[in-house]
Amino acid sequence: MSPKLTSATPPTGPRPPKIRLFSRSSWPQARHLADVLRTETVGGALLLSGALIALIWANSPWSDSYARLGDVVPWPGAPWHLDLDLATWAADGLLAIFFFVVGLELKREFVAGDLRDPRRAVVPVVAALGGMLLPALIYVAVVLSGGGEGLRGWAVPTATDIAFALAVLAVVSSHLPQGLRAFLLTLAVVDDLFAITIIAIFYTADFHPVPLLAALAPIALFAVLVQRGRTWWWALIPLAIAAWTLMHASGVHATVAGVLLGFTVPVLARRPRSGDQPATANAEAGEGGLAARLEHLWRPVSAGFAVPIFALFAAGVTLRGTDLGALLSDPIVIAIVAALVFGKSIGIFGSTYLLARFTRAELDDDITWADLLGIALLAGVGFTVSLLIGDLAFGAGSTADDRVKAAVLLGSVISAGLAATVLSRRNAAYRRVAERERLDADGDGVPDVYQHPDAR
């Protein structure tokens, strides 16, 4: 007679597999990631160069010429509120290219990348949320304790600058495992999505619904053309300009138009090869889709031109004659630095640790918690979107805006230094992992670890 089952008897049957945090993605995804990181690393070096030139110029004997350059209005009296100075054109116009690329990357991640798989998506999404909520709370707490002036800038320390972060990695020669690099990029992409949402909801002034509704027409026409595979530059670029112009006239930040246009572009190739596994087919189709081609075309323009020019106009904070003691004791400065350095790192590390603690998740064999701490510290490098939100919150050129710029630069440098210290200690281990991820013993063009994941 078989024994009776009681409530204390453990259930039989296979247990669900554990979630592997920061494991390698597919080979097509890894190849796409490598291309993106190469472009962004070069762009990060150019961004840092633009910021450095701005700082030197703004604090040189020729600082007046720097201020005058940003105030130049190339088209005075232009309709549709387009009589903007060069600094505003850099923030509203050139950054629309940056956000168009962000829209393409977001669409790709949701359709053919890591975010299409809920088991892989939950980690960067939870980490991004933790890395935005805690910095915002720290900022609000510090500013309130200092009198409450400057609460409008609560979102400044919530964004991560992937180009700046990758430039730091290039400097320390860190060969991060592919799983960590994928996590960092996906985290930054999700971070950008939340930042765009914050800008659209909380930093929209003088809202005008009619131009916003009118902007839907060129966006819809753009979508029809790209969905049918029509890449006529003479049609798509005017439609994009029209959408940007109408979005700007509506009071919603014009860069949102770039994101919406990016979302309309199809990711999957129209006819994926038959016989492939669904996940592989999706990833490879994502490589050959229109979104990948447009991203390949426009990402160098964004990383190599648009973002560095924005940095040239945005990072020039003048410190000559400034009381550094008063600056460093300013509640806004303290709040941003503390939020970037501590809020970002604790928010990302803590939320990921709790996710692993309360689910069936464990780190990949090549990864340690110290590696995650280094990535979490690196995410405290906030620049492009942080400076943009500072402009929107306090007004470009205002006293508070100058303090925001100084704080963002200081917090980013501290975060970068701490991240470099933590990650460089593991460089020898990273090199061994990188060598294994490049090994192709059978010479078929695909590294062996992507064909045999259990090979160590």
Side-chain angles (χ1 to χ4, degrees):
M1 183 174 180
S2 60
K4 294 182 179 180
L5 292 177
T6 66
S7 58
T9 303
T12 60
R15 302 180 70 181
K18 290 185 177 182
I19 300 174
R20 303 284 290 183
L21 301 181
F22 317 121
S23 59
R24 294 183 192 90
S25 55
S26 66
W27 170 238
Q29 177 73 358
R31 190 167 51 186
H32 167 77
L33 176 66
D35 291 339
V36 170
L37 295 183
R38 270 194 297 271
T39 303
E40 292 292 353
T41 300
V42 174
L46 294 174
L47 181 152
L48 293 177
S49 299
L52 185 60
I53 291 171
L55 281 171
I56 294 173
W57 192 354
N59 292 278
S60 71
W62 306 279
S63 57
D64 289 343
S65 63
Y66 175 81
R68 287 197 302 269
L69 178 64
D71 292 337
V72 170
V73 178
W75 302 287
W80 294 94
H81 309 289
L82 297 179
D83 49 346
L84 309 174
D85 56 41
L86 289 179
T88 307
W89 276 114
D92 290 17
L94 289 180
L95 281 192
I97 300 174
F98 166 79
F99 280 109
F100 175 68
V101 175
V102 169
L104 292 173
E105 183 63 27
L106 277 167
K107 180 79 173 287
R108 188 190 186 284
E109 285 291 328
F110 280 114
V111 175
D114 284 346
L115 294 181
R116 78 180 188 277
D117 181 0
R119 288 169 59 86
R120 294 185 70 93
V122 66
V123 181
V125 170
V126 169
L129 281 171
M132 297 189 82
L133 290 175
L134 189 58
L137 291 174
I138 289 177
Y139 180 95
V140 170
V142 173
V143 169
L144 284 177
S145 66
E149 182 183 357
L151 280 176
R152 184 165 170 76
W154 63 270
V156 169
T158 60
T160 296
D161 194 304
I162 186 64
F164 199 152
L166 292 175
V168 173
L169 288 179
V171 170
V172 299
S173 300
S174 181
H175 303 271
L176 285 180
Q178 193 271 338
L180 275 182
R181 284 180 280 143
F183 170 72
L184 177 61
L185 181 62
T186 308
L187 170 71
V189 168
V190 176
D191 194 295
D192 286 336
L193 174 62
F194 291 144
I196 293 160
T197 305
I198 288 172
I199 290 172
I201 295 175
F202 295 100
Y203 294 100
T204 294
D206 301 323
F207 176 64
H208 304 289
V210 174
L212 179 63
L213 293 174
L216 299 179
I219 292 173
L221 289 174
F222 187 96
V224 169
L225 291 177
V226 294
Q227 289 293 329
R228 294 184 177 183
R230 304 292 189 264
T231 55
W232 303 321
W233 65 267
W234 48 266
L236 295 181
I237 291 180
L239 287 172
I241 293 173
W244 181 94
T245 302
L246 291 166
M247 191 70 69
H248 173 77
S250 73
V252 177
H253 200 265
T255 53
V256 175
V259 180
L260 295 178
L261 291 170
F263 280 163
T264 67
V265 180
V267 171
L268 301 181
R270 307 186 95 178
R271 293 179 181 177
R273 291 180 309 203
S274 61
D276 285 334
Q277 294 298 322
T280 304
N282 279 347
E284 292 185 352
E287 276 196 326
L290 182 56
R293 283 183 280 151
L294 289 182
E295 186 179 346
H296 180 75
L297 177 65
W298 286 100
R299 186 179 288 278
V301 178
S302 169
F305 178 73
V307 173
I309 294 299
F310 167 75
L312 178 64
F313 282 103
V317 56
T318 301
L319 299 176
R320 289 195 309 163
T322 301
D323 185 345
L324 292 180
L327 177 67
L328 295 177
S329 61
D330 184 275
I332 292 177
V333 174
I334 296 174
I336 291 175
V337 173
L340 287 175
V341 176
F342 301 108
K344 272 289 187 181
S345 57
I346 296 173
I348 292 172
F349 185 92
S351 59
T352 308
Y353 178 81
L354 290 175
L355 179 67
R357 176 67 178 81
F358 293 105
T359 64
R360 290 181 52 79
E362 60 184 18
L363 293 178
D364 192 72
D365 292 341
D366 293 326
I367 309 300
T368 69
W369 287 111
D371 300 328
L372 177 61
L373 177 60
I375 294 298
L377 286 166
L378 192 61
V381 175
F383 194 82
T384 305
V385 178
S386 293
L387 294 180
L388 175 62
I389 294 176
D391 285 350
L392 296 175
F394 300 110
S398 65
T399 302
D401 186 45
D402 285 342
R403 285 178 282 171
V404 167
K405 292 177 181 178
V408 168
L409 290 170
L410 179 59
S412 298
V413 169
I414 294 174
S415 296
L418 293 174
T421 301
V422 173
L423 294 174
S424 61
R425 295 171 62 89
R426 288 263 296 161
N427 253 344
Y430 297 154
R431 287 193 184 94
R432 290 193 294 270
V433 175
E435 290 171 1
R436 193 164 65 246
E437 291 179 342
R438 290 194 298 265
L439 180 63
D440 182 17
D442 55 10
D444 65 350
V446 179
D448 299 339
V449 292
Y450 294 99
Q451 296 176 313
H452 310 287
D454 295 330
R456 292 292 169 189

